[in-house]
Each structure stands twice: as structure tokens, then as C-alpha cells.
Amino acid sequence: QFSPQPACIDLGMMWAHALWTLLLLCKFSLAVLPAKPENISCVFYYEENFTCTWSPEKEASYTWYKVKRTYSYGYKSDICPSDNSTRGNHTSCSFLPPTITNPDNYTIQVEAQNADGIIKSDITHWRFLFSAKIEPPEIFSVKPVLGVKRMVQIKWIRPVLAPVSSTLKYTLRFKTVNSAYWMEVNFTKEDIDRDETYNLTGLQAFTEYVIALRCATKESMFWSGWSQEKMGTTEEEAPHGLDLWRVLRPATVDGRRLVQLMWKKASGAPVLEKALGYNIWYFPENSTNLTKTLNTTNEKLELYLGGKTYWVCVVSYNSLGESPVATLRIPAINEKSFQCIEAMQACLTQDQLVVEWRSSAPAVDTWMVEWFPDLDSEPSTFSWESVSQATNWTINQDELKPFWCYNISVYPVLQDRVGKPFSIQAYVREGIPSAGPVTQVDNIGVKTVTITWKEIPKSQRNGFITNYTIFYQAEDGKEFSKTVNSNILQYDLESLTRKTSYSLQVMASTSAGGINGTTINFKTLSISILEIFLITSLVGGGLLILIILSVAYGLKKPNRLKHLCWPDVPNPAESSIATWRGDDFKDKINLKESDDPVNMEEDRVLKPYSFPRDLIDKLVVNFENFLEDVSTEELGKGQENILREEKNEYVTSPYRSSCPSAAFTGHWSQQREHWLKSRNVPSPCCESLEMPASGC
């Protein structure tokens, strides 16, 4: 009979076995053994210990190290004690006395072990004579030797633990106090004296030096550490020499010119060298009998020389003697200098400024480099340095002030002649300008304005101005900007809005950043001068055309033009009211009354009517005006006609049934009498006018 259950059990056991096998394989594949110890180095610290080190210095997992040693020329072996740093990833171990025997030969092997396994290093061999390391010597004096120049004598104590029978080798290093570079001298000492000495020669006079020593046994490849540094100074001697230079000023009206002489210790002169004074003499070329001598304790002198060529000589002196003579030729005013420098550039390194130039004259091997700050005022000091056998010059950035612009000039010196200089400007460090440009607006128009600004003073630039940026913004509007080159100090803004207020700033920028100048406000015009001119021209032209047309019209029709310009004014003297007769006057009034037939009957009834108060006055005045134009004779005739033809006839108003009142007649008489008197006309009697008695 077939039973499936045992088969299922066998299948499950097979899967379990396969799973365990897979886990074991994964475990072995994931195991990480420690790195193999390499670069094993062992040092025998004389009479102290034997120490070995190796790499790697740090493992990814926790690692134990075991150092196996064979000694006594292979007859003994042991393991470095576990408490001597072989625990917990330490990569050094020391064997201590009394198991250290000297001389001897060792073999060293290092085992590294972690949780996954063990790995061993290669076996290394060590001899005590080659691996011994001793303590450094102790320097106790560095002094000059009396009467011996440019030398110091170093004295030190031999290391106490150095092997007595071994010859020691030494390395002595030295430098000047202000230098960063060491120089070394190697020598050996075979004697076993406790106090050792060494004479260091070839030094500079009157210069302070720093000295240090180290030593090792002659056979060993391991040096001791450096001893403590000790300082000493060489003896003083006569001055080493001078570097001499000049600054030539323009000639005056009388042909003389100011020459500023400057000198300093020559390159390579002792740092501590001091001079008690300086002797100067100068004379025209080929005229030594005109030599003049001066003495000073300063390092500069001003001379007023003529227009000829002069020679100047300077020496420095102290208690031990004089320096070599420094000479300089001052060219004549009209002498032409040669020019050989074609190009020059300045670049910055990490801590130095380097100036390089290219020359077309290979014979020139001496150059004078001159530099001074470019200030708004005349510089008070010049710095200079001589360069030989090179076409570049280097200066530490610490010797120049940051944010200051320096003028750097290079003069070629060929024998005793100085050529034309080549100059550039440079900064050792640039910054943002201290102040922005001062800005103003000119020529404000409808849509344009001219912006001008002044250059920032040199002392406030802090770098080379690379460009200017104009920021302008309308009131409650978007801001705009325009960038121009550094040589532009004026710009015309266009496409502005008519009759609009604007705010404006100009920013000056260097390689380090920019700063804005003062803010100014302006408002564009509502109408331009051109527009005013055009309007005025149009109006004036129109008036001119109108005048021309009027004149032409007047010439063609003069009466018409006269009538338009001076219309006729009615003359009261020509009015017909003065000749109206009573019947005609009544007829005219009746004619007026008949115009309205509806009210005819009603109007026939007399009704009181009030005249204006000035009606009679106006009539009298009009009548007087009329009489003014009539001659005396005509007046007499007229009066007689009126009296004869209109006797007992009165001018009556249709609205009044009686004669004028006394007030009226009185007023009439006064007006008449006044008029007659003004014209010297005899006054007629009241009766001649045949007025009613009530009127007279």
C-alpha cells in the first residue's frame, strides 16, 4: 500500500537541510576578515624600549592584534604583553626591559583578529644598530668668536643615553630671525666628549640667527627629535652698501630742478646693520672741480640742480668703517631716455603680488621697481627695489595696504643710464567703495533727462571701478536700471513719462561689490520748449496771416474796412426830434396808439403816467448838443422862425393835460442860461419864447 505521509516528511526535511546550507553559505560569504598588517616599523629607543607600529591605523570592526617576537639571535620568542597597547584597535606595541638585549637581532610578525577570523603579516627582521633612536642634544650657547667675522660658535651637550662607543652624526639647521626658510649643515663627531662645539661660518655680519640640532648613531636610520631653538648674533662690521634712487621734478623757469635723493641698505645687507651717518657729494659731469659735499643722518636729501648732467655719490659709515660708494647719474633736462619695456601685468597669488614685464632689450639685466600709493594728494614717500637677472618682481601682500591703489613703475637701468618707465596700477585686495557717486540731473525734458555724476575720490574707491549702474523708478511704478562702463560719467535717460516724479540713484561697483550714491528726485515736464515754440509759431503765423488778409481786404475795400473798424455813431444833433412839429408829434403818438386796436378805447381815457426822472434831462442834453453845432446866426433865425410859426403852440404830452410844472421850467431855464453863457450868446427874454405864464 502507498502511504503519502512519509514522502511529505522527507520533503520537509530536505527543504530544512537546504535552508540551513544556504544560511551557512551566506554566513561565510558575509564574513569580513581584518586587513593584513603592513608597513611595520620598529624603533629601538636606547635603554628605554623597543616599539613597533603598523597600518592600517583603524579597522571597520573591532580587531585584536598580537605581536610575536623572536630574539637572542633566534633562540627565544614571546608575545608583546597584552597590556602594552595591543587591545582595541591599537596599532603599536612596546617590548620593555629586561627582555631587551643590546646588541641583538629581532624578527617581528603581527596577527590581526576579529570575530570573522585571523590574518598574519609578513615576518620582518630588525637589527638594533640600524633601528636605534636616541634623545636630541641640548644647545646651551650660540656666540660669535672675537675677531672672526660672519661666524658663530655653537656649543651643546651630547645625549646622555647615546651609546658610548657609537659615533654620532648631526644635522644643524639655521635661519635669520625674520626668515621662514631653514638652511641645514650635516657633520659627524667621533669623540665622546660631553661638551661638543661647532663653528658655523659664511653668515651675514651683525645678524641674529636661530639654531637647532638633531643627532643619530652613525649606523641608525632614525634621527632624534630637534633640540630647542637657540639664538645668536654675528659680529658687527662696516656697512654693507647702499641702494640709491632719485625722483626728478619738472624744471623751473630759471632752468633749475628739484631732485629728491633716497637711499637705503642694499639688498642682502645685515638686518641689524646701523649707520652713524651718510656722506653725499655731487658734481656736474666732466667737472669734478665743482664738487659739493654734504653730510646727513637722514635717508633722503633734496638737491636743486641745473639743467646739465650730474653725478651723485653716497656712502654710509659707522664706527668700523664706510660702505662702498653708491653712485647715480642724473640726466640733463633735454636728454632723451631709451624705452625697452613693451608690456607689463600684475597678478595676485595666495599671499603675494607678482609684477611681470616684457623687454625688447635683452642686454638690460638691472631694473628699478618703484611703487607708491595713488592718492588725491602728492605722495610723501616712495618705495623702490632693485631687481637683477629677472623680468618679474614679487612683494608680500602684508607689505602693502589693502583697499589702496598703488602706482607701480619699472625703470630699465643699462650701465649708468636709466630708461623710460612703464607703469601700471594694482590692488592687493579690493573692497566695496566707501561712498557712492554724487549725482545731479540736468536738461529735464518731457521724456528725457541727463544724469551726471562725479568720480569717487581715490581714497574712497577701495578697488577698480568696473561699472556704474543707474537705478530709477517712477512714483508708485516699476524700477529700471541701466549699466554703463567705468569711463562714462554722464547718461541720457529716455522713454520717461510726461509730468511724472522719479527717484534716481547711481551705484559704483568694484570686483567686491557696489554701493549706491545719494538719492535725487526730479519731475519731467508737462510740455517741452519745442512744443511751446511750435505752438507760439503756429499762433504767431496765424495772426500774421490774418493781418496780411486784413490789409489786403482794406486795400481792396477801404470804406468797408473803415466801417467795420470804426462804425458810425448817431449824432444827436442830426436827430429829427429837434424839428418835430406839434401836430406831427401828435400824429406819431397817435400812430403808435393805433397800433393796438383792442386797447384803443381804453387808452383814450387819460391815465396818469410817471416819466423817468432823467427823461427831461436827456432831452435837454440832446437838445443842447444839437445847439452846439449850430452857429449863433442860425440860432437867431431858428428862434425867430419858431416864434413866428409856432406862436402859442406848445409841445404837450398826450399823457398830461397841463403845461410843465414849475420844477421843469426852472430846470429848463437853468440849462438854457448855462448854455448861452458858455457860448457868449445874449440871453433872450423869457417872453420871447412865448411860454405859458405858469412856465415863465
Side-chain angles (χ1 to χ4, degrees):
Q1 296 181 352
F2 176 75
S3 177
Q5 185 175 359
C8 292
I9 294 174
D10 293 341
L11 185 60
M13 292 178 64
M14 290 176 62
W15 277 108
H17 182 72
L19 182 60
W20 280 105
T21 304
L22 181 62
L23 290 174
L24 290 174
L25 292 174
C26 291
K27 180 179 180 181
F28 285 114
S29 62
L30 294 175
V32 179
L33 295 176
K36 180 180 179 180
E38 295 179 345
N39 300 323
I40 299 173
S41 177
C42 297
V43 179
F44 171 47
Y45 295 96
Y46 190 74
E47 295 187 359
E48 290 186 0
N49 59 63
F50 183 84
T51 301
C52 296
T53 58
W54 57 89
S55 63
E57 296 180 354
K58 189 175 182 180
E59 289 281 2
S61 60
Y62 194 82
T63 305
W64 296 268
Y65 292 98
K66 184 186 296 184
V67 181
K68 294 183 177 181
R69 174 185 66 161
T70 61
Y71 63 104
S72 295
Y73 298 98
Y75 290 101
K76 295 181 180 179
S77 63
D78 61 1
I79 297 174
C80 185
S82 59
D83 58 352
N84 266 349
S85 72
T86 54
R87 294 181 181 178
N89 284 0
H90 289 169
T91 57
S92 66
C93 186
S94 299
F95 296 92
L96 303 176
T99 60
I100 299 176
T101 57
N102 184 29
D104 203 346
N105 294 331
Y106 285 0
T107 61
I108 300 295
Q109 186 180 35
V110 181
E111 291 184 359
Q113 179 180 359
N114 61 12
D116 295 324
I118 300 174
I119 192 167
K120 297 181 179 181
S121 71
D122 296 332
I123 298 175
T124 59
H125 301 271
W126 301 93
R127 295 180 59 186
F128 272 20
L129 292 177
F130 298 128
S131 60
K133 185 174 183 178
I134 57 179
E135 61 184 353
E138 180 183 354
I139 300 175
F140 63 86
S141 72
V142 177
K143 294 181 179 180
V145 177
L146 185 62
V148 181
K149 300 183 181 299
R150 303 189 181 189
M151 186 190 80
V152 291
Q153 188 176 71
I154 301 103
K155 294 183 178 181
W156 69 94
I157 299 175
R158 181 184 173 94
V160 177
L161 298 180
V164 177
S165 58
S166 297
T167 299
L168 299 184
K169 56 185 178 182
Y170 292 90
T171 298
L172 185 149
R173 67 178 185 181
F174 62 97
K175 67 173 183 177
T176 58
V177 173
N178 297 324
S179 175
Y181 304 99
W182 292 92
M183 293 174 284
E184 294 185 353
V185 176
N186 295 315
F187 59 92
T188 59
K189 287 288 186 178
E190 297 183 356
D191 51 12
I192 57 174
D193 294 337
R194 182 168 178 80
D195 296 338
E196 303 282 359
T197 61
Y198 183 80
N199 293 330
L200 182 61
T201 59
L203 305 179
Q204 295 180 0
F206 203 39
T207 303
E208 190 174 22
Y209 286 89
V210 180
I211 307 295
L213 270 175
R214 68 176 181 178
C215 62
T217 59
K218 190 175 182 179
E219 298 84 2
S220 178
M221 60 180 175
F222 295 109
W223 288 90
S224 69
W226 289 103
S227 66
Q228 289 187 346
E229 296 176 353
K230 197 79 172 178
M231 292 186 294
T233 305
T234 56
E235 278 195 341
E236 186 179 8
E237 59 184 33
H240 183 75
L242 293 174
D243 282 339
L244 182 60
W245 189 236
R246 84 291 186 273
V247 176
L248 304 179
R249 300 298 183 185
T252 58
V253 178
D254 59 356
R256 303 180 67 198
R257 57 178 167 171
L258 175 63
V259 178
Q260 291 179 317
L261 293 177
M262 302 172 290
W263 55 85
K264 61 181 180 180
K265 291 186 294 186
S267 302
V271 177
L272 301 178
E273 179 182 283
K274 294 180 181 179
L276 298 178
Y278 304 94
N279 290 325
I280 304 102
W281 63 94
Y282 61 97
F283 53 90
E285 193 172 36
N286 301 325
S287 299
T288 56
N289 56 336
L290 300 177
T291 300
K292 294 184 180 180
T293 304
L294 298 172
N295 181 270
T296 183
T297 57
N298 298 323
E299 292 187 341
K300 59 184 178 180
L301 181 68
E302 291 185 352
L303 298 176
Y304 283 92
L305 303 180
K308 306 180 194 178
T309 302
Y310 277 80
W311 282 90
V312 179
C313 304
V314 181
V315 297
S316 61
Y317 60 89
N318 60 13
S319 59
L320 299 176
E322 291 183 345
S323 69
V325 179
T327 60
L328 186 65
R329 181 179 180 272
I330 308 298
I333 293 178
N334 57 358
E335 181 177 317
K336 293 184 178 180
S337 302
F338 68 94
Q339 185 173 3
C340 64
I341 300 178
E342 298 176 346
M344 188 163 62
Q345 66 176 3
C347 58
L348 289 172
T349 61
Q350 186 174 1
D351 57 353
Q352 291 180 330
L353 174 66
V354 180
V355 178
E356 298 178 339
W357 57 91
R358 185 174 69 251
S359 173
S360 60
V364 178
D365 60 356
T366 303
W367 313 86
M368 190 65 74
V369 182
E370 178 186 273
W371 69 96
F372 57 90
D374 184 17
L375 303 176
D376 297 314
S377 58
E378 184 70 19
S380 58
T381 58
F382 289 80
S383 300
W384 78 99
E385 186 175 339
S386 178
V387 177
S388 299
Q389 305 295 331
T391 56
N392 60 76
W393 172 73
T394 302
I395 186 172
N396 292 328
Q397 294 185 17
D398 297 339
E399 299 181 37
L400 302 177
K401 292 185 178 181
F403 314 134
W404 278 32
C405 180
Y406 283 86
N407 289 325
I408 303 174
S409 301
V410 178
Y411 294 79
V413 181
L414 185 58
Q415 296 179 356
D416 57 0
R417 296 181 179 270
V418 178
K420 289 184 178 180
F422 197 103
S423 301
I424 60 171
Q425 290 185 326
Y427 284 87
V428 293
R429 199 171 89 192
E430 295 191 46
I432 300 173
S434 302
V438 178
T439 310
Q440 65 180 13
V441 293
D442 297 314
N443 304 328
I444 299 176
V446 175
K447 293 186 178 181
T448 61
V449 68
T450 300
I451 312 299
T452 58
W453 57 91
K454 296 181 180 179
E455 280 189 307
I456 301 173
K458 296 176 182 178
S459 59
Q460 296 180 344
R461 293 177 191 173
N462 300 337
F464 293 116
I465 302 298
T466 56
N467 57 63
Y468 293 100
T469 304
I470 305 168
F471 297 97
Y472 61 100
Q473 182 179 14
E475 188 176 10
D476 300 329
K478 182 180 178 182
E479 185 178 65
F480 297 91
S481 64
K482 298 286 185 181
T483 301
V484 297
N485 295 331
S486 59
N487 59 342
I488 296 176
L489 300 176
Q490 178 177 311
Y491 190 80
D492 294 329
L493 292 180
E494 299 177 348
S495 302
L496 303 180
T497 305
R498 183 189 300 264
K499 200 178 179 180
T500 304
S501 297
Y502 284 86
S503 60
L504 180 141
Q505 282 182 316
V506 177
M507 181 179 72
S509 301
T510 65
S511 61
I515 186 171
N516 289 328
T518 55
T519 301
I520 58 175
N521 299 308
F522 66 93
K523 187 175 182 179
T524 53
L525 301 177
S526 59
I527 184 170
S528 66
I529 297 175
L530 179 61
E531 292 173 342
I532 294 174
F533 177 76
L534 290 176
I535 293 172
T536 305
S537 300
L538 291 175
V539 173
L543 291 175
L544 181 61
I545 293 172
L546 181 60
I547 292 171
I548 293 172
L549 293 176
S550 299
V551 171
Y553 183 76
L555 294 175
K556 186 176 182 181
K557 295 182 178 181
N559 295 331
R560 184 70 174 173
L561 180 62
K562 179 180 179 182
H563 179 71
L564 290 174
C565 296
W566 299 281
D568 294 336
V569 177
N571 190 349
E574 298 176 359
S575 176
S576 62
I577 191 171
T579 60
W580 285 354
R581 298 179 181 272
D583 295 338
D584 294 338
F585 186 76
K586 291 179 182 179
D587 293 340
K588 292 181 182 295
I589 293 176
N590 292 334
L591 181 61
K592 181 180 179 181
E593 290 176 352
S594 64
D595 291 340
D596 190 3
V598 178
N599 298 325
M600 186 177 296
E601 292 294 330
E602 184 178 355
D603 291 338
R604 287 179 181 178
V605 181
L606 293 176
K607 295 181 182 179
Y609 183 81
S610 59
F611 282 91
R613 288 183 176 272
D614 59 342
L615 176 60
I616 300 302
D617 296 337
K618 291 180 179 179
L619 289 174
V620 173
V621 170
N622 292 333
F623 187 69
E624 288 179 353
N625 293 334
F626 165 72
L627 293 178
E628 287 177 358
D629 297 331
V630 181
S631 65
T632 306
E633 294 180 357
E634 292 175 349
L635 178 62
K637 294 178 181 180
Q639 288 177 347
E640 292 177 358
N641 293 333
I642 292 172
L643 291 174
R644 183 172 56 253
E645 294 176 3
E646 295 184 5
K647 186 177 181 180
N648 296 328
E649 292 183 5
Y650 306 102
V651 179
T652 60
S653 171
Y655 304 102
R656 292 184 182 270
S657 58
S658 59
C659 66
S661 63
F664 173 76
T665 56
H667 181 73
W668 163 260
S669 300
Q670 292 175 2
Q671 294 290 336
R672 184 174 65 85
E673 291 294 331
H674 179 269
W675 181 85
L676 292 174
K677 287 180 181 180
S678 64
R679 286 161 177 74
N680 297 321
V681 179
S683 175
C685 65
C686 179
E687 291 80 5
S688 66
L689 295 176
E690 295 183 359
M691 298 192 71
S694 60
C696 294

